[in-house]
């Protein structure tokens, strides 16, 4: 099986085309290879099998994968192919960006299919949700939504192989059993390999879901064992992996774009004379922007197309452009912070109102208030956005690093005025993403430039500066909390005003309130045992593109809530961990709708209630494992925080050392996580470790700021990330065992981030008595 290009056309950086073994599947290529290589239990024709034919229809409320566009698919003919030599090819339809999903989902199929992992090949699916089901790799839900469908894929294929063997031996199917790449007849000891059976098996009907025999957890060979390494690991380590930015095609041109400095700006006029004098520059093209809202549309600007990326960059430098800065040309972060503070100090739209907050505050023995500020952040993936487009005979092909290939396909089709079926999006590896690559504006730009060049292949590269200047930024946020305490120091009233421009602003003009989903990230669904709670959301206008960032609004909400809990503990001279546990209260399973959370991360409120017992357990576990309460020398402290997000429960203890000069170091972080059953524990541990580093980075260094509408940070010298010498010396991940695989899965990729900042700042308070209420910590601790 090979890519939908002639290999002679491919010239992949650092990799010979003949060595390429992670490739995309197209219908044309599949059919061609089917004839050549004899794949016999293999992907069916895209036109014949789609999500509509596999996911059941119902008028009932939909949750989880059922509620996602194009739902799920569990047909083995879509995901599994077996060659005559027994090689099993499994298609992964989700994007690999370091989280290991390209290993984990096929591993689930392989386990149920009873294959030898060493004989498995993995293919990356192109964007085609009608065929594969939903492909948005976001929301920490790839495994949560596709664990069961992938199990059924493997179990169905196994059943077809067993049926083929039984038929060949003319024995009852109950007498045969698939095991490690062969089917065995117990009574006679006869065996047949998968490669010997696949042709016959492929002619059998796919078994019904109801008839499938799924393995018992004790029978799992790979699932839950943590023994399967990253499929692409070796190639990643030695630099042979192919990312979006590595794509090269024959006769390809290279492009960069000069975009308006401020969001909503546009080109007044430009002079390309000097740019065209740069050796290698081929053409300069103006790209029109689009009227707001931003959605996933290109920002517009002036593109320079050249024979190589360096020439394109030099040509861009030579452009003379006069910009109309547009309606957000005066956006200033310092002034905007003052606006957020003013908004937070006045009543806002009431989103949850339990009891009588006014009376409770009035009658409280003591009232405490605090405000917390979190600036804009950029996702800053190590590989900036990049896409290559080519248009031949009305067929557009894209090679790109994207978290949302179907979204990219649909948007490209719309901009090019082509049927979606005429657009193919090949998904490469992603060199990080963190939500940025869910928005395909850069893919559209590449397609438009190829169209302008009469279909010639054009690779568009975003430089680091482009990425930091024009990201879909994580929202800036001001969180104000007030609490009323009784004469025993127990909270009786809780008021939280959250003020932040919303992601909804990129979809709807005039959107000034956080979406239900954003409020459901640790604000309205706080499950504390407090009788009087009011959550308010004052207005905040967006002045730049706001987008998803790993953990999204859980970051500011957890920072504020968990910092405030520690402040209340300090005010009442209580142990922070004990105070937190008292707030969580007794174990109970709360319908999130009673907390005004109608989103619940898209999951069923019955299947996924807010379980305070699980939140208590992770808090108690991490405290125990971290040695909470141990005596520490001066300048050293422990901080704790717990948070519920993406239907996973997580608690963190951070240990810090603050030197006499104010220098901060982090000897150790402990994390307890309850994400339900652990499909790939090694990947869970790795993602939590990565989340710790990212959480430390955004807490200590992360800040995007605006002046005159433009981002002030240019590269990693001004938008710094945590380096190795500032990373935690030790990270201990404690995974709470699930009782069984009937427990629904939680998310893993994002929940580790939110508790880090509050636990870190709480530790700093324990070490120094200094309270951090504004991120990043930066030089707030440094002494003169």
């Amino acid at each position: 099986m090979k890519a939908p290009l002639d290999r002679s056309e491919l010239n992949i950086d650092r990799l010979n085309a003949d060595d390429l073994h992670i490739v995309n599947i197209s219908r044309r290529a599949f059919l061609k290879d089917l004839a050549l290589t004899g794949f016999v239990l293999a992907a069916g024709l895209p036109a014949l099998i789609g999500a509509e034919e596999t996911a059941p229809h119902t008028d009932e409320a939909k949750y989880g994968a059922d509620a996602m566009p194009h739902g799920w698919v569990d047909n083995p003919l879509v995901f599994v192919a077996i060659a005559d030599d027994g090689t099993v090819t499994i298609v992964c339809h989700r994007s690999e960006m370091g989280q290991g999903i390209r290993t984990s989902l096929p591993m689930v199929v392989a386990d149920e299919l009873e294959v030898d992992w060493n004989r498995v090949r993995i293919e990356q699916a192109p964007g085609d949700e009608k065929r594969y089901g939903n492909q948005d790799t976001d929301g920490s839900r790839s495994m949560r939504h596709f664990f069961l469908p992938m199990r059924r894929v493997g179990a169905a294929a196994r059943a077809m192989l067993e049926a083929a063997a039984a038929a060949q031996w003319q024995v009852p199917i109950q007498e045969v059993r698939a095991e490690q790449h062969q089917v065995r007849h117990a009574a006679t000891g006869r065996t047949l390999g998968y490669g010997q059976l696949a042709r016959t098996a492929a002619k059998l009907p796919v078994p019904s879901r109801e008839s499938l025999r799924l393995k018992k957890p004790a029978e799992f060979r790979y699932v839950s064992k943590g023994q399967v390494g990253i499929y692409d690991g070796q190639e990643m380590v030695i630099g042979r992996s192919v990312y979006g930015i590595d794509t090269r095609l024959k006769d390809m041109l290279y492009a960069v774009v000069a975009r308006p400095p401020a969001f909503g700006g546009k080109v007044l006029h430009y002079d390309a004379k000097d740019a065209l004098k740069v050796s290698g520059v081929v053409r300069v093209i103006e790209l029109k922007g689009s009227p707001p809202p931003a959605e996933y549309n290109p920002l517009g600007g002036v593109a320079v197309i050249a024979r190589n990326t360096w020439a394109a960059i030099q040509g861009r430098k030579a452009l003379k452009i006069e910009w109309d800065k547009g309606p957000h040309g005066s956006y200033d972060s310092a002034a905007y912070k003052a606006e957020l503070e003013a908004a937070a100090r006045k009543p806002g739209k009431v989103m949850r109102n339990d009891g009588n907050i006014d009376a409770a505050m009035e009658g409280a023995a003591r009232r405490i208030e605090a405000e917390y500020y979190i600036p804009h952040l950029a996702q800053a993936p190590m590989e900036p956005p990049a896409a290559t487009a080519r248009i031949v005979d009305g067929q557009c092909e894209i090679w790109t690093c994207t978290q949302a290939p179907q979204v990219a396909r649909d948007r490209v089709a719309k901009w090019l005025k082509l049927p979606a079926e005429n657009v193919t999006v090949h998904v490469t590896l992603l060199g990080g993403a963190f939500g940025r690559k869910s928005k395909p504006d850069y893919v559209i730009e590449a397609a438009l430039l190829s169209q302008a060049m009469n279909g010639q292949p054009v690779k568009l590269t975003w430089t680091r500066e482009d990425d930091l200047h024009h990201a879909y930024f994580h929202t800036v946020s001001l969180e104000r909390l007030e609490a009323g305490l009784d004469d025993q120091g127990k909270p009786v009233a809780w008021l939280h005003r959250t003020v932040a421009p919303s992601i909804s602003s990129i979809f709807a003009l005039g959107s000034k309130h956080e979406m239900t989903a954003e409020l459901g990230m640790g604000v309205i669904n706080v499950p504390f045992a407090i009788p009087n709670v009011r959550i308010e959301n004052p207005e905040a206008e967006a002045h730049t593109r706001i987008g998803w960032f790993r953990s999204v609004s859980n970051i500011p909400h957890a920072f504020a809530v968990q910092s405030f809990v520690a402040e209340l503990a300090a005010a009442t001279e209580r142990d922070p961990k004990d105070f937190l546990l008292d707030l969580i209260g007794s174990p109970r399973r709360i319908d999130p709708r009673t907390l005004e959370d109608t989103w619940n991360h898209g999951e069923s409120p019955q299947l996924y209630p807010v379980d305070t017992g699980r939140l208590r357990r992770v808090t108690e576990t991490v405290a125990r494992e971290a040695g909470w309460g141990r005596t520490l020398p001066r300048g050293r402290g422990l901080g704790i925080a717990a948070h519920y997000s993406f239907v996973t429960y997580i608690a963190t203890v951070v240990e810090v050392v603050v030197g006499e000069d104010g220098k901060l170091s982090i000897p150790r972080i402990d994390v307890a996580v309850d994400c339900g059953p652990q499909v790939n524990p090694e990947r869970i541990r790795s993602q939590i470790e990565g989340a710790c580093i990212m959480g430390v980075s955004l807490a200590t260094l992360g800040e995007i700021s605006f002046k005159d509408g433009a981002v002030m940070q240019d590269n990693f010298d001004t938008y710094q990330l945590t380096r190795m010498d500032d990373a935690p010396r030790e990270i201990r991940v404690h995974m709470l065992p699930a009782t069984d695989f009937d427990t629904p899965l939680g998310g893993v990729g994002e929940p580790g981030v939110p508790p880090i900042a509050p636990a870190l700042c709480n530790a700093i308070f324990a070490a120094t008595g200094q309270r951090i209420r504004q991120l990043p910590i930066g030089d707030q601790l440094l002494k003169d």
Side-chain angles (χ1 to χ4, degrees), residues 372-379 434 473-479 496 498 500 514 517-518 520-523 547-563 601 641-646 691 694-700 702 719 749-759 761 775-776:
Y372 304 90
Y373 175 77
I374 301 92
H376 283 297
L377 299 167
Q379 297 86 357
F434 311 119
F473 298 99
H474 180 51
T475 190
V476 56
S477 176
L478 197 295
E479 310 288 325
H496 185 164
T498 174
E514 294 178 47
E518 293 166 313
M521 295 182 180
V523 177
W548 294 276
F549 181 99
R550 187 181 187 182
S551 300
V552 205
S553 293
N554 287 288
I555 293 170
H557 297 159
F559 173 60
V561 170
Q562 292 297 311
S563 294
H601 291 273
H643 192 69
Y644 166 69
S645 66
F646 304 98
M694 192 167 190
V696 167
S697 187
L698 69 88
T700 57
Y719 187 75
E750 296 167 271
V753 176
I756 297 298
C761 293
L775 298 182

Side-chain angles (χ1 to χ4, degrees), residues 411-453:
R411 297 307 187 278
V412 167
K414 179 181 178 182
W415 276 83
L416 297 186
K417 296 181 171 56
L418 291 174
E421 293 73 21
N422 288 20
V423 177
T424 301
V425 176
H426 305 290
V427 181
T428 67
L429 281 176
L430 283 65
F434 311 119
R436 171 61 183 95
K437 294 171 182 172
S438 289
K439 284 81 71 174
D441 54 329
Y442 56 99
V443 184
I444 299 168
E445 288 177 335
L448 291 173
L449 293 175
S450 176
Q451 185 183 53
M453 299 303 294

Side-chain angles (χ1 to χ4, degrees), residues 754-768:
I756 297 298
L760 174 60
C761 293
N762 291 340
I764 290 171
F765 178 81
T768 67

Side-chain angles (χ1 to χ4, degrees), residues 365-366 368 484-492 568-569 571-572 574 579 583:
R366 188 177 179 187
I368 295 173
L485 308 178
D486 65 15
D487 56 4
Q488 301 298 310
K490 181 179 179 181
V492 294
L568 296 179
T572 55
R574 295 280 312 281
F579 193 90
L583 271 185

